[in-house]
Amino acid sequence: RGSALRLDRQRVSVGQVWSEELVERERAEAQTGTASEKIAASGIERRRIVLLGFSQGACLATEFMLRHAARFGGLIAFSGGAIGPAGTEWNYGGSFDGTPMFFGCSDVDAHVPADRVRESAGVCTRMGTSVTAPAPKPFVLVLPAQAV
């Protein structure tokens, strides 16, 4: 038995300052919290809940975890991280109590710089995670022969 929540098209990225999109971000974060609560209410322990996101979804999943630090099943963040403009200091309380987390990214993502992904992994490490964050890999685009 499994449950999934899909949050997309929120037009968010880690480097942007929130203004007119703040309402959408807050709504997406509320939906993530509601889904987590419903999953827990159905009898699935929080320790078995894994959040996974790509790009904007990874940003939302990471931010949700930072704001609700506890022992979860895990976080998988592909090309995403904590939300805020350059220079943001994330000083959230709580502990992840060893929650495993994976942060991965390319070295040329215009919306989610590799430095932000590393910063996010560092914040989570300080909050008690078991983080895997491999070095960013060069971006490679592979096209079928007929497309060239």
Side-chain angles (χ1 to χ4, degrees), residues 31-90:
Q31 289 174 341
T32 305
T34 299
S36 177
E37 290 166 11
K38 285 182 179 180
I39 292 168
S42 73
I44 298 172
E45 296 176 356
R46 184 178 280 185
R47 297 175 71 92
R48 297 189 62 200
I49 298 172
V50 176
L51 297 181
L52 177 143
F54 170 75
S55 192
Q56 297 168 356
C59 296
L60 290 169
T62 302
E63 194 68 23
F64 174 82
M65 295 288 276
L66 288 170
R67 293 172 185 242
H68 302 91
R71 178 59 163 101
F72 278 83
L75 169 68
I76 302 170
F78 295 116
S79 293
I83 298 172
T88 297
E89 292 187 24
W90 296 275

Side-chain angles (χ1 to χ4, degrees), residues 99-135:
T99 297
M101 296 187 179
F102 174 88
F103 288 89
C105 67
S106 164
D107 64 343
V108 294
D109 189 319
H111 299 287
V112 185
D115 285 345
R116 174 54 57 87
V117 175
R118 282 190 287 272
E119 287 175 321
S120 301
V123 170
C124 292
T125 298
R126 287 192 301 276
M127 294 175 70
T129 63
S130 170
V131 172
T132 300

